[in-house]
């Protein structure tokens, strides 16, 4: 009896239910299934709680709630879930597929759909390198690896423009089923988008994501996890969705290099950091990619001779790309030379990760800057209000470049772009002569 009471109390508390209803009981049944209780145990628990509830009320007024869920406690998805969990073990095999393998693109297509659980098959067919996509580092990494040519438009080559979408869908599913099945995966004789979604749900549960959060992100619940439909979805902000998707992606594979940013202490340079790492941990130095954007400045000395000097756009601000689990190790070596930006000033705050897509946009801007464009650092007590991400589609120097607009339009007709270094610190730059008609919302 005690176990049954504790089970229903914990379920109601976690899902914010305060009364016995069809909905709250369905949520409890879902929690019991997740906890691994057999159908016979769930039936026993339901009987105990219904009896206690009847005694407490003294009548049968709301006993119909228990009757309405009586069949649900016998839901048995154990074999399906066991199969999905077995598939989860095989994911490591896909992460080691070589770029030279003929399976490489198909495997990455499968992984993209796994990490981006909100994307449908049609979305993948239309996906270009300028499409809006979640800022999840593993997704950024896949898209970057697929960019093998500047002329390539679609992230995945699926004969777009040569075949009708329906034919592409059939061919894509058949190829994924065949290729992924060759790595040991068992999809029960049936492969669909739901097969990949089931894998994501299994990974999410292992990562500690709640059923309510899963229900709020996954709109189409696969039959392997049909009991999740018993749970009431809640509204999640886009930031919360991204946080959860990143958490699940990290639980699957946490080895993708990501962009971070450090502030070098006064008088220190990139050469100092390279020298120290070369002396203390040469192997770590090989795993890091540094980016210190600079430009040449011409000066004239007193004799009238021109001198060229290389100057950084953002003095002391050094971007670096490395695996997340290596950042702490890096700063154990160079802690006297620099510090890494975090989202907040609290000790347990995570390091600030710059999404790959935003970093690419920043690098593209740097390559197109003219001497009149200045980058500066700003610090604000409140987070900078950032409007919709946009693409410039009117031709010219800024064609197809992506950025985040701080304001829709400045008073003088310019556009101001921002790159977040932390929750309070930003790099900003202003671009002139960008007309209103040339700004296109990415998700339009």
């Amino acid at each position: 009896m005690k176990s049954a009471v504790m089970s229903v109390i914990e379920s109601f508390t976690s899902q914010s239910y305060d009364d016995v209803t069809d909905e709250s009981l369905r949520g409890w049944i879902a929690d019991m299934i997740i906890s691994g209780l057999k159908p016979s145990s769930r039936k026993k628990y339901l009987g105990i709680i219904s009896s206690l509830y009847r005694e407490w009320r003294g009548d049968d007024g709301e006993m119909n709630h228990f009757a309405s869920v009586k069949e649900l406690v016998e839901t048995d998805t154990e074999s399906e879930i066991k199969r999905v969990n077995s598939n989860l073990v095989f994911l490591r095999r896909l992460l080691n597929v070589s770029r030279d393998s003929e399976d490489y693109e198909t495997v990455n297509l499968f992984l993209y759909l796994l990490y981006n659980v909100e994307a449908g098959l049609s979305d993948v067919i239309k996906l270009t390198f300028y499409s809006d996509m979640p800022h999840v580092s593993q997704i950024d990494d896949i898209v970057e690896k697929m960019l093998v040519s500047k002329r390539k438009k679609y992230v995945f080559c699926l004969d777009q423009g040569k075949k009708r979408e329906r034919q592409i869908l059939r061919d894509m599913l058949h190829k994924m089923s065949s290729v992924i099945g060759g790595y040991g995966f068992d999809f029960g004789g049936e492969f669909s988008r739901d097969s990949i979604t089931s894998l994501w749900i299994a990974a999410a549960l292992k990562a500690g994501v709640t059923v309510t959060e899963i229900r709020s992100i996954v709109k189409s619940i696969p039959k392997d996890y049909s009991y999740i439909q018993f749970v009431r979805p809640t509204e999640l902000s886009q930031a919360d969705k991204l946080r959860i998707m990143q958490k699940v992606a990290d639980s699957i594979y946490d080895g993708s290099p990501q962009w971070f940013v450090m502030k070098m202490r006064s008088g220190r340079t990139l050469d100092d950091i390279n020298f120290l790492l070369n002396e203390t941990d040469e192997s770590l130095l090989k795993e890091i990619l540094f980016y210190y954007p600079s430009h040449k400045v011409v000066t004239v000395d007193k004799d009238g001779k021109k001198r060229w000097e290389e100057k950084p756009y953002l003095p002391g601000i050094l971007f670096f790309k490395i695996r997340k689990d290596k950042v702490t190790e890096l700063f154990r070596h160079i802690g006297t030379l620099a510090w890494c930006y975090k989202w907040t000033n609290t000790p347990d705050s995570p390091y600030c990760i710059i999404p790959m897509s935003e970093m690419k946009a920043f690098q593209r801007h740097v390559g197109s800057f003219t001497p009149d464009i200045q980058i500066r650092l700003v610090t604000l007590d409140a987070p900078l209000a950032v409007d919709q991400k946009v693409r410039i589609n009117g031709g010219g120097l800024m064609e197809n470049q992506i950025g985040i607009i701080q304001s829709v339009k400045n008073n003088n007709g310019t556009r101001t772009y921002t790159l977040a270094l932390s929750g309070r610190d930003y790099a900003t730059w202003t671009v002139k002569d960008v007309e209103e008609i040339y700004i296109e919302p990415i998700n339009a």
Side-chain angles (χ1 to χ4, degrees):
M1 180 182 294
K2 182 178 179 181
S3 297
V5 172
M6 290 302 299
S7 173
V8 74
I9 289 175
E10 289 175 0
S11 176
F12 277 35
T13 301
S14 67
Q15 298 185 45
S16 301
Y17 291 117
D18 56 10
D19 196 6
V20 172
T21 62
D22 289 354
E23 187 176 70
S24 61
L25 290 175
R26 287 196 298 270
W28 175 39
I29 291 170
D31 282 337
M32 287 194 289
I33 295 174
I34 291 169
S35 68
L37 279 176
K38 302 290 184 181
S40 58
S41 297
R42 299 196 297 266
K43 186 176 181 180
K44 178 181 177 182
Y45 278 22
L46 185 69
I48 291 172
I49 298 303
S50 64
S51 296
L52 290 174
Y53 189 73
R54 182 185 296 110
E55 291 175 11
W56 176 69
R57 285 187 57 92
D59 58 47
D60 294 335
E62 295 190 27
M63 295 312 297
N64 58 320
H65 293 313
F66 290 93
S68 69
V69 299
K70 191 173 181 179
E71 292 183 3
L72 298 181
V73 296
E74 299 180 9
T75 300
D76 188 4
T77 58
E78 185 177 355
S79 59
E80 289 86 351
I81 293 174
K82 185 177 180 180
R83 175 172 48 77
V84 175
N85 284 329
S86 296
N87 286 339
L88 201 59
V89 176
F90 293 134
L91 279 177
R92 183 62 57 177
R93 299 179 181 181
L94 301 183
L95 303 174
N96 297 323
V97 175
S98 167
R99 185 181 289 272
D100 298 328
S101 170
E102 62 181 13
D103 298 338
Y104 186 72
E105 186 166 34
T106 303
V107 166
N108 277 284
L109 171 59
F110 179 88
L111 290 174
Y112 178 90
L113 286 166
L114 177 62
Y115 295 134
N116 188 1
V117 70
E118 293 186 306
L121 296 177
S122 296
D123 297 325
V124 173
I125 295 173
K126 300 169 186 173
L127 187 68
T128 72
F129 292 98
Y130 297 113
S131 298
D132 193 17
M133 58 193 81
H135 291 320
V136 174
S137 57
Q138 287 81 355
I139 292 176
D140 287 335
D141 192 39
I142 288 173
V143 173
E144 184 179 45
K145 288 188 295 188
M146 291 295 103
L147 184 60
V148 295
S149 167
K150 289 184 178 180
R151 292 186 176 183
K152 189 179 180 186
K153 177 181 178 182
Y154 294 102
V155 176
F156 301 105
C157 297
L158 303 169
D159 289 334
Q160 294 94 335
K162 298 179 182 179
K163 298 179 181 178
R164 294 181 181 274
E165 183 173 306
R166 188 174 297 178
Q167 182 64 46
I168 294 176
L169 286 171
R170 284 198 297 266
D171 293 347
M172 179 172 60
L173 284 171
H174 176 74
K175 188 170 185 180
M176 273 197 291
S177 175
S178 175
V179 169
I180 304 304
Y183 289 88
F185 289 75
D186 176 14
F187 298 109
E190 180 181 342
F191 182 80
S192 66
R193 176 64 177 100
D194 281 354
S195 305
I196 308 175
T197 303
S198 291
L199 267 177
W200 186 89
I201 293 175
L205 290 171
K206 286 198 171 186
V209 179
T210 68
V211 183
T212 302
E213 290 172 328
I214 292 173
R215 182 71 176 90
S216 302
I217 292 176
V218 179
K219 303 307 179 187
S220 176
I221 303 298
K223 65 180 182 181
D224 296 335
Y225 289 94
S226 57
Y227 63 85
I228 290 181
Q229 295 180 10
F230 303 164
V231 178
R232 174 184 58 187
T234 59
E235 287 296 323
L236 289 177
S237 68
Q238 188 60 26
D240 284 337
K241 287 184 180 180
L242 287 176
R243 174 185 56 79
I244 293 168
M245 290 171 67
Q246 184 65 67
K247 181 178 181 179
V248 176
D250 285 343
S251 74
I252 296 169
Y253 177 61
D254 197 17
S256 296
Q258 301 176 59
W259 282 106
F260 300 86
V261 59
M262 69 173 77
K263 174 67 174 176
M264 294 183 288
R265 301 188 187 279
S266 179
R268 299 300 185 176
T269 66
L270 175 56
D271 290 339
D272 295 327
I273 291 175
N274 277 318
F275 178 80
L276 183 58
L277 285 176
N278 192 58
E279 291 289 314
T280 58
D281 194 339
E282 189 176 352
S283 62
L284 183 62
L285 183 59
K286 294 177 181 178
E287 297 183 48
I288 305 174
L289 173 64
F290 290 115
Y291 179 61
Y292 194 42
S294 61
H295 60 122
K296 290 183 178 180
V297 177
V298 182
T299 58
V300 180
D301 64 18
K302 60 182 180 180
D303 297 324
K305 292 183 178 181
K306 291 183 178 180
R307 296 187 180 276
W308 295 85
E309 183 180 3
E310 196 80 16
K311 288 191 174 183
Y313 278 112
L314 296 166
I317 299 296
L318 176 62
F319 300 94
F320 62 100
K321 189 179 182 183
I322 194 173
R323 282 171 46 179
K324 184 170 63 175
D325 59 346
K326 295 285 186 178
V327 176
T328 301
E329 181 183 348
L330 169 65
F331 280 88
R332 276 202 299 264
H333 293 297
I334 68 168
T336 58
L337 303 183
W339 50 267
C340 190
Y341 276 97
K342 294 185 174 183
W343 281 114
T344 66
N345 291 328
T346 58
D348 59 345
S349 174
Y351 293 115
C352 178
I353 297 173
I354 300 177
M356 199 81 71
S357 56
E358 291 187 17
M359 196 63 197
K360 283 182 180 179
F362 174 63
Q363 289 172 328
R364 283 197 297 269
H365 273 288
V366 168
S368 302
F369 280 166
T370 55
D372 62 306
I373 295 178
Q374 300 294 319
I375 306 180
R376 65 190 183 95
L377 290 176
V378 296
T379 299
L380 301 174
D381 291 330
L384 189 65
V386 176
D387 290 336
Q388 190 170 26
K389 187 184 295 184
V390 297
R391 173 172 55 241
I392 297 173
N393 64 3
L397 182 67
M398 304 293 291
E399 171 70 16
N400 277 329
Q401 298 206 23
I402 298 173
I404 297 174
I405 296 179
Q406 177 183 342
S407 59
V408 175
K409 189 173 184 179
N410 297 334
N411 290 335
N412 59 2
T414 62
R415 300 279 176 178
T416 299
Y417 289 81
T418 67
L419 181 70
L421 306 182
S422 73
R424 298 176 65 245
D425 298 296
Y426 301 81
T428 71
W429 64 95
T430 299
V431 178
K432 295 182 178 179
D433 302 324
V434 181
E435 296 184 28
E436 185 80 25
I437 60 172
Y438 295 145
I439 300 298
E440 172 193 353
I442 286 180
N443 63 357

